[in-house]
C-alpha cells in the first residue's frame, strides 16, 4: 500500500510543536544532560545575571524549547560519561552569549516559534538585566499573584504593560480591589482583559465601562460566589467567556443582566470556543454580532444543542421547514450543487448559496428555533441512496487520482454550501491547494463585492478559478470594471473570465481591439465571452475579416506572452516587445 508523504507545511508545523532534537548527544544521556543544563542555567541567571532565584527557576523550567535549542548547539565530546558538564556549559557561554529573552518569553507562555521571536526582535540586547523595567514589571505582577506562565497573555495583547513599571501597575490593581473585587477575580479579569492594565483610567473611560459591566456579572448577581475564591484558572475561564459577549456588545452593559439570570452554569462549565461556535452559527446566518449575543443568552437551550454534527439532507429539509413543493423544485433546479447531504454546521452557508438565509433567519426569530433541533432534523433526513452514490463516486475518484486529500477538499466545498452530489465530485477534482488557501481565495472573491450565491455558482461552473492567488483576482476584476467598462454583474454570466491569463490573453486582445477602434476599423463590439474564448487562429481570422492588415499588427505588436521576469516576448518574432509598443 502506498502512503502519501507529509507536506512541507505539515512538517514545519509539527517541528514547531516539538523541542529541537539533540543529535549531538547519545540517547541514553540526553535526559541527564537536559536536567543538569536546567540546573546550571538557573544558577547562572541567579548568580551571574543577578536575577532572583525564584524568577530564574521559572524562566528556565518553563522554557523547554529554548533549553533544548541551547543544548543542541553545544559541541559535546563523543561520550559525556565522567565529563564535567558545568565546565562545558561555562566554556560554551564564553563564546556564545545566552539570549535570555528567548527563555523569558517562552516561559511566560508565548509560543517559541512565533510570538516570542517577534517580541525578542524588539530588544537590542541578549540580557534581561539590560532592561530592568521588563523583569521588574513581571516580578511585581507575580508577587501580586499572577501566574508566571500566564504573563504572556498580557504581553501578547498589550506589550506596553511591561514598560509601565510596578509604581503604576500596583496602584491600579489596588483600585480594582477598592471596587469590591477580590484578588483572584482581578487577576482573571486582567488576563482576559489586558487593556484593564494599559488603558487610560480617566473617569467614564474604557476601564470604567468595563468594570461597570463586570459589576453586574460578579457583584450584582453574585457570580463570584459560585467560583472558589483563590482559583485563578476558573476566574480566567469565566472572564474569557464574558469577553466573548463583551466584545460583541455594541451597547456596553446591555448583556450584563442576561449573562447572570439563570446562566451561571454557562460561564462556569462551558468553554469560550464553544460559545464562539454558537455565536458564529447565527452570525453566519446574517444576524448582527451584538444581536447574536443577546439571542443565545435569551435562549440558553442553544448551549445544549449540537449545531455542528447532525446531518441535513437537501431538498427534504427545505420541505420540512415550510417551503412549498413548487419552490423546492425550482431551487433544486437552480442550485443542484447544493442538494444532498451536509452537516448542520454548514447550514448557514447552504442557505446563503440559495439566497435563503434571511428568510430562514426570520423563521428562527419568529419562534421556530426547533428547526435546529436534532429531533426535527432527524425526521427530515431519510434518503440514503444519494449518500451511497456520492461515497462510491468519491472512492472511485480517490482510486483514479491516488489522492488521499480529496476528503479535505470535499470538506471545503461542503463548508461553503455545496452538498454531497455529482457536481461536487466534479468540482473537487479541479481544486488545488490546502483548505485555508481555498477559503482565502473564496473570501477574496466575496470581498470584491460579488454575492455569496453567485460566487458559489461561479465555483460550480468553473472550479479552477480557485487555483489563482488573491492579487490575480483583484487585478482581473479591476481590468474588467475600469479598463473594459463592464460591471461585476458580467461575471455572473461569464465566470470563466477569471480563468483567462490577464497578461497573456485578456490585456493583449483588448489592446488590439482598442487599436482597431482608434483607426475606425471596428464597427461592432465584442463581448469578453466571445473574444476571449476564441482560439488564437480563430481570433486572427476574425481580425482579418475586420481588416486585412489587422493580423500583421496583432502578431507584431500585441501577440506576446509575459515570461517569469516580467518581459513581454513576441510570439511572432521571439524578441522582447519594446516598452513603447507594449
Amino acid at each position: 500500500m502506498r502512503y502519501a508523504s507529509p507536506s512541507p507545511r505539515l512538517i514545519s508545523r509539527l517541528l514547531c510543536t516539538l523541542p529541537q532534537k539533540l543529535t549531538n548527544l547519545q540517547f541514553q544521556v540526553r535526559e541527564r544532560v537536559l536536567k543538569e543544563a536546567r540546573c546550571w542555567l538557573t544558577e547562572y541567571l541567579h548568580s551571574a545575571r543577578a536575577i532572583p532565584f525564584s524568577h530564574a527557576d521559572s524562566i528556565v523550567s518553563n522554557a523547554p524549547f529554548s533549553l533544548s535549542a541551547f543544548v543542541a548547539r553545544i559541541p559535546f565530546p563523543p561520550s559525556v560519561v565522567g565529563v564535567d558538564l558545568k565546565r562545558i556549559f561555562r566554556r560554551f557561554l564564553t563564546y556564545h552569549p545566552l539570549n535570555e529573552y528567548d527563555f523569558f518569553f517562552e516561559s511566560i507562555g508565548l509560543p517559541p516559534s512565533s510570538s516570542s521571536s517577534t517580541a525578542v526582535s524588539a530588544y537590542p540586547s541578549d540580557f534581561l538585566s539590560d532592561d530592568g523595567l521588563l523583569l521588574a514589571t513581571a516580578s511585581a505582577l507575580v508577587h501580586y499573584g499572577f501566574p508566571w506562565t500566564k504573563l504572556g497573555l498580557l504581553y501578547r495583547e498589550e506589550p506596553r504593560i511591561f514598560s509601565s513599571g510596578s509604581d503604576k501597575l500596583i496602584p491600579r490593581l489596588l483600585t480594582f480591589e477598592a471596587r469590591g473585587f477580590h484578588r483572584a477575580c482581578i487577576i482573571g479579569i486582567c488576563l482576559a482583559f489586558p487593556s484593564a492594565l494599559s488603558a487610560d483610567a480617566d473617569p467614564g473611560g474604557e476601564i470604567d465601562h468595563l468594570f461597570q459591566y463586570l459589576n453586574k456579572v460578579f457583584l450584582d448577581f453574585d457570580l463570584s460566589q459560585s467560583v472558589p475564591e483563590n482559583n485563578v484558572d476558573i476566574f480566567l475561564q469565566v472572564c474569557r467567556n464574558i469577553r466573548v459577549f463583551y466584545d460583541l456588545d455594541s451597547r456596553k452593559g446591555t448583556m450584563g443582566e442576561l449573562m447572570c439570570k439563570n446562566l451561571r452554569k454557562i460561564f462556569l462549565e462551558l468553554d469560550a470556543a464553544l460559545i464562539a461556535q454558537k455565536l458564529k452559527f447565527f452570525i453566519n446566518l446574517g444576524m448582527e454580532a451584538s444581536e447574536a449575543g443577546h439571542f443565545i443568552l435569551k435562549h440558553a437551550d442553544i448551549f445544549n444543542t449540537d449545531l455542528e454534527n447532525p446531518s441535513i439532507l437537501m431538498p427534504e429539509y427545505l420541505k420540512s421547514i415550510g417551503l412549498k413543493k413548487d419552490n423546492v423544485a425550482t431551487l433544486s433546479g437552480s442550485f443542484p450543487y447544493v442538494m444532498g447531504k451536509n452537516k448542520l454546521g454548514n447550514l448557514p452557508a447552504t442557505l446563503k448559496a440559495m439566497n435563503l438565509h434571511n428568510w430562514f433567519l426570520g423563521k428562527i426569530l419568529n419562534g421556530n428555533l426547533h428547526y435546529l433541533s436534532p429531533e426535527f432534523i432527524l425526521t427530515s433526513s431519510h434518503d440514503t441512496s444519494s449518500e451511497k452514490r456520492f461515497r462510491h463516486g468519491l472512492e472511485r475518484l480517490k482510486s483514479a487520482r491516488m489522492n488521499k486529500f480529496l476528503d479535505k477538499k470535499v470538506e471545503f466545498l461542503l463548508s461553503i454550501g455545496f452538498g454531497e452530489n455529482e457536481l461536487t465530485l466534479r468540482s473537487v477534482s479541479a481544486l488545488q491547494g490546502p483548505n485555508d488557501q481555498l477559503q482565502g481565495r473564496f473570501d477574496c472573491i466575496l470581498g470584491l463585492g460579488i454575492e455569496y450565491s453567485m460566487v458559489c455558482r461561479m465555483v460550480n461552473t468553473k472550479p479552477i478559478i480557485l487555483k489563482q492567488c488573491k492579487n490575480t483576482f483583484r487585478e482581473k476584476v479591476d481590468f474588467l470594471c475600469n479598463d473594459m467598462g463592464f460591471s461585476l454583474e458580467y461575471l455572473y454570466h461569464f465566470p470563466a473570465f477569471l480563468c483567462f491569463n490577464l497578461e497573456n490573453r485578456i490585456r493583449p486582445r483588448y489592446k488590439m481591439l482598442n487599436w482597431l477602434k482608434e483607426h475606425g476599423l471596428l464597427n461592432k463590439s465584442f463581448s469578453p465571452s466571445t473574444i476571449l474564448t476564441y482560439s488564437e487562429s480563430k481570433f486572427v481570422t476574425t481580425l482579418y475579416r475586420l481588416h486585412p492588415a489587422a493580423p500583421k499588427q496583432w502578431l507584431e505588436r500585441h501577440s506576446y506572452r509575459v515570461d517569469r521576469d516580467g518581459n513581454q516576448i513576441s510570439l511572432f518574432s521571439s524578441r522582447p516587445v519594446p516598452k513603447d509598443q507594449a
Side-chain angles (χ1 to χ4, degrees), residues 372-410:
L372 301 175
S373 67
E375 296 78 15
F376 180 86
I377 293 170
L378 187 62
T379 60
S380 63
S381 302
H382 56 267
D383 183 12
T384 58
S385 59
S386 59
E387 180 183 356
K388 290 180 180 179
R389 288 196 301 270
F390 177 82
R391 292 298 165 192
H392 181 65
L394 182 60
E395 290 302 321
R396 283 194 305 171
L397 196 58
K398 288 181 185 178
S399 176
R401 293 171 59 89
M402 300 194 68
N403 188 338
K404 296 194 174 184
F405 299 103
L406 285 177
D407 285 330
K408 290 293 182 182
K409 294 180 173 51
V410 169

Side-chain angles (χ1 to χ4, degrees), residues 96 121 125 160-161 165 172 308 326 335 362 410 451 502 544:
H96 306 86
S121 63
S125 169
R160 55 182 173 162
I161 291 173
R172 177 170 291 199
E308 183 64 25
D326 292 344
F335 308 99
V410 169
E451 290 184 2
L502 178 62
Y544 181 80

Side-chain angles (χ1 to χ4, degrees), residues 526-542:
F526 289 89
S527 67
S529 60
T530 299
I531 208 68
L532 294 178
T533 54
Y534 281 171
S535 65
E536 181 73 7
S537 60
K538 189 172 182 179
F539 180 68
V540 171
T541 301
T542 302

